[in-house]
């Protein structure tokens, strides 16, 4: 059995978030070194705030300011911080109930080691130098000896009280980049297919039950639900079964438009694969056109397919392979 | 023991637009859910369970958004289910909710589907680069356009039919205040003159990218008796799936779609859908899918669907109006799109469709599909309860 291929796969995207009124006030407040919560209909204060009461489902907009000091309600030590986490040195993940709040906020606590952290310890916000209206405007929490209701980071007394949530230049949206790191493996069947392609051979697999030849093979027949193993070389020639003419440039594709994107049933295959047609004006491509692959040096796949000059295939011969 | 009859007593949706930058995802779903409850004259406490659907999580990048949306939907302390069947999910979600009522598990269920496409890029979410594989060569419409050409070849339809569908649906949308596209100056000439993106699909024959949500309140016979407005009654509902790719797959008229429709018609006692059904709201993301689905759903014989479009049968004042709301061609918050179809069918039989109401609509089909013609979901609703 040939080696099964594997390769890193990174999936990342800068998702955007429209904040809505409550999160907008919360994040803009952080930029101004003000921590806002929201008061529920049963008079509890939730920090971070939510838009809808978890108990009654009522819309809640009654913002209150709480102090930037609080108490750790539980924690876990992070021995090895990863990329994108709040601190680059080992730290504690903590849930902090800020003074004046009834719920706890998840953040990082800067502490020399796990021995320095305990449930019930007093902490305060360490504000980031550069603040943009994001949860990272709280750089982290740090141990704090003072009492609740002591002067806040703004330098003036901030008793818990109502807040309009109105600030100049409010933050209404944020970018929330996401990244996932995978090790991808195409599995046995596709690894064998890719291996054969490197010798410019197209090898599919035949279903032992329905006898259909799958190209590229997935290792199982989706109709019969049985494993496939018998390898069958198909092509190299094939028939254009249907196509479209692409007139708009796709991102990350260095192909001049217009070009033809076609479904091609290789001789001996029981379903069509997709490829570009070249070597013929785009407006002369037609269903039934006979084609053959054109390879470029070092490429894993044929660059495109070109006409062979054979007479067109009759519709009856490929109408099940569109 | 027979099934409990299921009634739609509340419908709500957002005014669909390209980007709802003024609300969070929670705010978006809340708006639709609140309107559905208002329509039913019910409160959050009257809802026994919540069934929610959306397209892949990559579309907004919030993993399992239903967890955070529980507060906004009054679901805390109640059963909450998430349904996931790609583009058909709005339909499947409604059917799962209906099943809970029909099985007498719950008396009243809130069902909702949404998409906030502006927070991401659906095309990116659907075409992640996979190691060793050839990159996708054609973009969004490149997947669909070859199937349209196959349909044209098979049916012999004139190439004018696609533009007729787009012109009809965009004009219907002008009568629907919730539709995303309101092209007041639309003409058939403008549709025909729009750029050919993926020949044979023109720009004006493609769906937009929308932010939106749709919600319905489903209830049992007792709930329907208390409803302030006429309910829509579920007469038949079904889901079917098949692989996206397999030897013998018919992309023009997938077997799963035929089987799904046949199941719905059997449940509802429909023997001739063209005669027995008054209107249909079907999932048409590219204009040519109207004639294709008309055949797949049994409204026309194979190869004849385009004749219904061409002769005006599917127009709002035709004999079988199709996509009275303006359809997916005018509004496409992907995860919600299936439920908007189902909701439009219910609005029609309730007589609540406003300017796009079909006079005397008694039985209307709602249809959704997705995942490369992999998933199908349909329901037939009526103005009278089943068996009457
Ligand atoms: Zn098989």
């Amino acid at each position: 059995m040939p080696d099964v291929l594997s390769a890193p796969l990174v999936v990342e995207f800068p998702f955007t978030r429209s904040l809505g009124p409550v999160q907008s006030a919360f994040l803009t407040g952080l930029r101004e070194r003000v921590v806002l919560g929201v008061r529920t209909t049963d008079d509890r204060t939730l920090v971070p705030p939510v838009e809808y009461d978890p108990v009654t489902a009522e819309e809640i907009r009654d913002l209150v300011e709480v102090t930037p000091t609080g108490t750790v309600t539980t924690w876990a030590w992070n021995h090895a911080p990863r990329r994108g986490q709040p601190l680059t040195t080992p730290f504690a993940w903590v849930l902090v109930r800020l003074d004046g709040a009834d719920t706890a906020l998840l953040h990082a606590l800067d502490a020399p080691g796990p021995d320095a952290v305990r449930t019930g310890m007093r902490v305060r916000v360490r504000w980031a130098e550069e603040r943009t209206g994001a949860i990272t405007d709280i750089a982290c929490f740090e141990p704090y000896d003072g009492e609740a209701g002591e002067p806040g980071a703004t330098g003036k007394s901030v008793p818990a009280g109502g807040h309009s949530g109105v600030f100049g230049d409010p933050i209404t949206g944020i970018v929330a980049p996401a990244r996932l790191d995978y090790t991808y493996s195409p599995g046995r069947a596709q690894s064998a297919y890719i291996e054969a392609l490197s010798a410019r051979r197209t090898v599919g697999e035949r279903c032992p039950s329905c006898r259909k030849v799958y190209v590229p093979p997935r290792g199982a027949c989706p109709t019969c639900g049985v494993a496939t193993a018998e390898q069958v070389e198909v092509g190299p020639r094939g028939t254009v079964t249907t196509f479209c003419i692409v007139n708009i440039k796709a991102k990350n594709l260095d192909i001049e438009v217009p070009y033809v994107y076609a479904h091609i049933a290789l001789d001996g295959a029981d379903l069509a694969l997709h490829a570009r047609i070249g070597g013929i004006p785009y407006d002369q491509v037609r269903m039934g056109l006979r084609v053959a692959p054109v390879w470029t040096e070092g490429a894993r796949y044929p660059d495109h397919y070109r006409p062979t000059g054979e007479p067109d295939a009759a519709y009856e011969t490929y109408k099940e392979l569109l | 023991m027979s099934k409990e009859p299921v009634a739609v007593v509340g419908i709500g949706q957002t005014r669909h637009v390209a980007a709802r930058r003024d609300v969070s995802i929670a705010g978006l779903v809340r708006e639709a859910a609140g309107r559905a409850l208002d329509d039913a004259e019910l409160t959050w406490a009257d809802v026994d369970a919540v069934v929610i659907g959306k397209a892949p999580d990559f579309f907004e990048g919030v993993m399992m958004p239903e967890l955070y949306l529980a507060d906004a939907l009054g679901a805390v302390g109640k059963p909450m289910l998430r349904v996931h069947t790609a583009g058909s999910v709005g339909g499947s979600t409604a059917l799962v909710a209906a099943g809970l009522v029909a099985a007498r598990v719950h008396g009243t269920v809130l069902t909702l589907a949404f998409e906030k496409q502006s927070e991401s890029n659906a095309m990116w979410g659907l075409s992640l680069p996979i190691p060793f594989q050839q990159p996708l060569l054609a973009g969004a419409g490149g997947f669909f356009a070859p199937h349209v050409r196959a349909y044209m070849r098979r049916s012999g339809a004139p190439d004018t039919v696609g533009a007729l569908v787009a012109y009809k649906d965009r004009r219907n949308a002008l009568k629907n205040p919730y539709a995303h596209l309101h092209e007041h100056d639309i003409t058939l000439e403008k549709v025909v003159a729009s750029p050919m993106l993926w020949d044979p699909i023109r720009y004006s024959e493609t769906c937009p990218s929308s932010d939106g949500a749709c919600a319905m309140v489903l209830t049992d016979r007792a709930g329907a008796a208390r409803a302030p407005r006429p309910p829509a009654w579920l007469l038949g509902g079904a889901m079917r799936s098949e692989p996206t790719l397999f030897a013998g797959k018919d992309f023009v008229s997938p077997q799963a779609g035929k089987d799904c429709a046949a199941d719905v018609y059997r449940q509802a006692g429909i023997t001739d859908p063209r005669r027995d059904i008054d209107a249909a709201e079907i999932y048409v993301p590219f204009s040519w899918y109207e004639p294709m689905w008309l055949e797949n759903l049994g409204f026309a014989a194979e190869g004849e669907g385009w004749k219904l479009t061409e002769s005006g049968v599917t127009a709002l004042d035709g004999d079988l109006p199709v996509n009275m709301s303006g359809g997916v061609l005018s509004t496409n918050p992907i995860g919600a799109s299936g439920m908007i179809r189902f909701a439009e069918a219910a609005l029609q039989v309730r007589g609540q469709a406003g300017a796009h109401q079909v006079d005397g609509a008694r039985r209307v089909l709602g249809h959704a599909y997705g995942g490369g013609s992999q998933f199908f979901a349909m329901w037939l609703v009526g103005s009278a309860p089943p068996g009457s």
Side-chain angles (χ1 to χ4, degrees):
Chain A
M1 192 158 109
D3 288 343
V4 173
L5 298 167
S6 78
L9 169 59
V10 178
V11 175
E12 58 184 333
F13 195 82
F15 293 103
T16 53
R17 299 274 170 258
S18 302
L19 296 174
V22 172
Q23 303 307 328
S24 173
F26 176 63
L27 293 182
T28 309
L30 294 182
R31 189 189 65 197
E32 306 304 325
R33 299 202 289 181
V34 169
V35 184
L36 294 178
V38 68
R39 190 163 283 152
T40 65
T41 34
D42 61 354
D43 213 29
R44 294 184 310 138
T45 298
L46 310 185
V47 180
V50 297
E51 292 183 74
Y52 302 98
D53 191 317
V55 177
T56 65
E58 294 306 313
E59 180 177 291
I60 43 178
R61 295 289 182 269
D62 187 8
L63 296 168
V64 291
E65 182 174 359
V66 298
T67 60
T69 56
T71 304
V72 171
T73 63
T74 189
W75 59 280
W77 189 252
N78 180 9
H79 297 270
R82 298 184 179 194
R83 171 177 42 208
Q85 292 187 338
L87 296 170
T88 54
T89 52
F91 64 89
W93 289 114
V94 286
L95 282 173
V96 177
R97 191 174 62 237
L98 293 171
D99 299 326
D102 293 294
T103 56
L105 171 87
L106 173 68
H107 220 292
L109 172 66
D110 187 7
D115 293 344
V117 186
R118 61 185 170 78
T119 294
M121 75 183 285
R122 299 284 297 160
V123 295
R124 71 173 170 194
V125 168
R126 181 190 297 164
W127 295 103
E129 293 285 317
E130 303 268 320
R131 293 183 307 281
T132 59
I135 191 64
T136 47
D137 288 355
I138 298 176
C140 63
F141 282 82
E142 59 192 17
Y144 171 64
D145 292 334
E147 293 300 309
E150 293 276 301
T154 50
K156 58 182 189 287
S157 182
V158 279
H163 194 288
S164 69
V166 176
F167 301 93
D169 190 21
I171 303 294
T172 58
I174 58 169
V175 177
R179 175 183 166 122
L180 297 164
D181 285 273
Y182 295 98
T183 299
Y184 174 84
S185 171
R188 179 210 46 92
Q190 291 209 57
S191 291
Y193 169 73
I194 291 160
E195 176 74 14
L197 278 176
S198 65
R200 299 188 177 181
R201 294 166 56 236
T202 301
V203 177
E205 288 186 356
R206 189 191 307 278
C207 172
S209 175
C210 67
R211 310 299 295 163
K212 299 288 189 188
V213 174
Y214 277 84
V215 182
R218 295 274 182 86
C221 174
T223 307
C224 306
V226 297
T228 57
E230 182 194 341
Q231 296 198 329
V232 181
E233 182 164 356
V234 301
R237 294 186 172 195
T239 300
V240 171
T241 64
T242 186
F243 65 95
C244 68
I245 302 163
V246 180
N247 286 313
I248 53 165
K249 248 180 129 64
K251 261 188 283 179
N252 312 325
L253 272 187
D254 189 24
I255 305 173
E256 284 306 307
V257 295
Y259 63 90
V260 172
Y261 171 74
H263 295 187
I264 299 169
L266 294 179
D267 296 345
D270 284 301
L271 73 175
L273 50 74
H274 300 172
R276 186 169 64 87
I277 304 297
I280 177 174
Y282 69 90
D283 56 357
Q284 290 177 26
V285 175
R286 55 210 177 259
M287 292 168 72
L289 183 71
R290 293 285 296 161
V291 293
V294 176
W295 293 87
T296 51
E297 197 55 44
R300 196 186 289 283
Y301 290 88
D303 180 71
H304 63 274
Y305 283 73
R306 60 159 178 82
T308 62
E310 295 166 271
D312 286 359
Y315 181 58
E316 293 301 311
T317 65
Y318 63 85
K319 68 175 185 179
E320 309 290 333
L321 296 168
L322 302 178
Chain B
M1 195 166 75
S2 66
K3 287 194 224 174
E4 179 69 24
V6 179
V8 183
V9 295
I11 296 172
Q13 56 187 311
T14 57
R15 162 83 175 83
H16 308 290
V17 294
R20 278 296 301 272
R21 301 210 195 282
D22 60 318
V23 289
S24 62
I25 295 173
L28 185 77
V29 300
R30 174 72 170 209
E31 203 170 288
R35 286 173 183 170
L37 286 178
D38 288 349
D39 185 26
E41 294 182 11
L42 295 176
T43 67
W44 300 105
D46 297 316
V47 172
D48 300 317
V50 177
V51 184
I52 185 171
K54 69 171 298 308
D57 288 352
F58 266 143
F59 284 13
E60 289 93 355
V62 181
M63 294 301 142
M64 297 190 287
E66 64 277 14
L67 301 184
Y68 124 83
L69 295 175
D71 293 3
L73 295 172
V76 175
K78 299 172 185 175
M80 188 184 201
L81 290 177
R82 159 92 181 271
V83 179
H84 187 161
T85 59
S88 75
V89 69
S92 311
T93 303
L95 288 172
V96 169
L100 293 170
V101 175
R104 301 191 178 87
V105 175
H106 300 297
T108 299
V109 177
L110 172 68
T111 186
L112 178 138
F114 75 92
E115 209 72 66
K116 206 158 185 302
Q117 288 213 64
S118 66
E119 310 229 322
S120 173
N121 179 320
M123 194 56 214
W124 170 83
L126 292 171
S127 57
L128 304 177
I130 305 296
F132 312 110
Q133 290 190 12
Q134 208 167 13
L136 278 181
L137 283 171
F143 177 83
F144 298 93
H147 304 314
V148 169
R149 187 178 304 276
Y151 172 73
M152 294 165 79
R153 170 68 176 79
R154 197 193 282 191
S155 66
D159 59 13
T160 50
V161 171
L164 292 174
V165 174
Y167 177 55
K168 166 181 71 75
D169 285 3
R170 295 278 161 73
R171 281 202 307 163
N172 288 353
L174 294 175
K175 298 177 185 292
N176 177 5
Y178 295 102
H180 174 178
L181 297 184
H182 285 132
E183 299 180 334
H184 292 280
D185 54 353
I186 188 84
T187 63
L188 183 59
E189 292 68 32
K190 283 186 180 172
V191 174
V192 173
S194 72
M196 190 65 94
L197 302 183
W198 302 277
D199 190 338
I201 295 179
R202 294 179 183 86
Y203 172 73
S204 289
E205 298 176 44
T206 65
C207 54
S209 170
S210 316
D211 283 0
C214 181
M216 292 188 285
V217 178
L218 308 186
T219 191
D220 54 16
R221 194 167 8 203
R226 292 190 295 267
R229 277 172 275 280
W233 293 95
L234 179 60
L235 304 179
M239 293 179 251
R240 286 293 186 281
S241 59
E242 66 181 37
T244 299
L245 277 176
F246 63 94
K249 169 123 184 171
D250 185 351
F251 272 103
V252 170
S253 190
Q255 188 62 41
K258 293 181 192 173
D259 294 347
C260 190
D263 191 355
V264 170
Y265 299 156
R266 182 190 52 73
Q267 293 172 36
I270 300 290
T271 52
D272 179 352
R274 172 80 173 82
R275 185 196 64 205
D276 299 339
I277 294 174
D278 300 315
E281 182 77 19
I282 61 184
Y283 201 113
V284 175
F286 295 92
S287 61
W288 280 92
Y289 276 75
E290 173 171 305
M292 289 161 67
W293 292 146
L294 286 172
E295 296 173 25
N296 189 244
L297 294 169
F299 290 112
E302 190 173 315
E304 307 277 317
W306 61 271
K307 294 177 183 171
L308 297 186
T309 301
E310 191 181 50
S311 63
V313 168
T314 62
L316 193 54
D317 59 356
D319 191 44
L320 177 72
V322 171
N323 293 344
M324 300 71 72
S325 75
V328 178
L329 280 180
S330 305
T331 305
N332 191 29
I334 298 179
S337 284
M339 192 171 287
I340 297 170
R341 311 279 76 71
F342 277 43
E344 175 67 19
L347 280 174
Q348 289 286 344
V349 299
R350 297 174 76 203
Q352 306 276 330
H356 56 288
Q357 177 68 45
V358 173
D359 283 343
R362 292 168 303 116
R363 280 186 293 259
V364 178
L365 183 73
H367 162 274
Y369 90 107
S373 300
Q374 182 173 8
F375 300 112
F376 292 83
M378 305 172 197
W379 80 3
L380 187 80
V381 288
S383 54
S388 62

